[in-house]
Amino acid sequence: MLKLPMISETCSPTVSDNIYLYTPHSIHNILRKICETGRTADRPRSGRPRVTTPAQDWYIRTSHLRDRFRMATTTARVTSGTHNPSVSAQTVRNRLREAGLRACRPVVRLVLTRHHRLVLTDECLLVVARTHPRNTHIKPHLQANSRLASVMAASIS
């Protein structure tokens, strides 16, 4: 908001210009704005049009509040825009940030294959066999797996 010192109605813009170092044109515009609106506050600008409507913004917020593990790309796929047929995932993230929320970002990691699971299972069985040597239900599995039996024998001795 622009703050001006008090200007009396008898004071002409040129006298005010010399005192306050404003151009006559800007003083004239400020006086005209005060006469029309009664204040010097700047008017709101239109800005860039939003891609989503307030109802779509509400849908984006509520869908992420209902399912906190929902990704922004999933919401973007099912939400249609006002101008374009679709809404980008970045738009969904922006709307969530405006509401103080965040979308879920899945962890990218190595996909475990069958071999990985077998190795993990074998290692777990070895740990259990070492810590509990009297577990009889593990010994048949260890004896069937020759590699595990040899590792187990080496770890016991």
Side-chain angles (χ1 to χ4, degrees):
M1 183 175 206
L2 180 63
K3 293 186 178 181
L4 286 176
M6 292 298 290
I7 301 174
S8 65
E9 293 180 11
T10 59
C11 186
S12 67
T14 54
V15 174
S16 299
D17 180 38
N18 294 334
I19 297 171
Y20 301 112
L21 302 175
Y22 289 120
T23 62
H25 183 70
S26 63
I27 295 293
H28 175 72
N29 287 339
I30 291 171
L31 288 173
R32 185 173 47 88
K33 186 182 282 190
I34 290 172
C35 291
E36 289 175 3
T37 62
R39 34 185 278 194
T40 59
D42 201 8
R43 62 181 170 82
R45 302 286 195 265
S46 62
R48 184 183 173 120
R50 291 175 73 94
V51 177
T52 56
T53 63
Q56 290 169 329
D57 293 344
W58 178 84
Y59 170 76
I60 290 170
R61 281 193 310 272
T62 55
S63 64
H64 281 268
L65 285 171
R66 287 180 185 147
D67 181 12
R68 56 177 275 225
F69 296 110
R70 189 174 185 140
M71 295 182 291
T73 52
T74 307
T75 306
R77 261 186 261 126
V78 298
T79 308
S80 61
T82 54
H83 305 293
N84 294 334
S86 63
V87 173
S88 69
Q90 187 60 49
T91 301
V92 172
R93 285 187 207 102
N94 291 342
R95 299 301 178 263
L96 290 172
R97 191 180 317 114
E98 288 172 4
L101 302 171
R102 279 191 283 189
C104 178
R105 296 191 60 183
V107 177
V108 178
R109 62 177 97 157
L110 180 66
V111 178
L112 293 180
T113 62
R114 183 175 178 270
H115 174 70
H116 288 112
R117 284 191 295 276
L118 288 175
V119 169
L120 284 172
T121 305
D122 292 347
E123 288 176 1
C124 290
L125 286 174
L126 280 175
V127 169
V128 170
R130 282 189 202 127
T131 55
H132 304 287
R134 292 190 179 150
N135 286 342
T136 55
H137 64 281
I138 296 176
K139 289 182 181 176
H141 179 73
L142 291 175
Q143 291 169 353
N145 192 339
S146 61
R147 184 177 62 83
L148 275 177
S150 62
V151 171
M152 186 64 190
S155 67
I156 291 175
S157 59

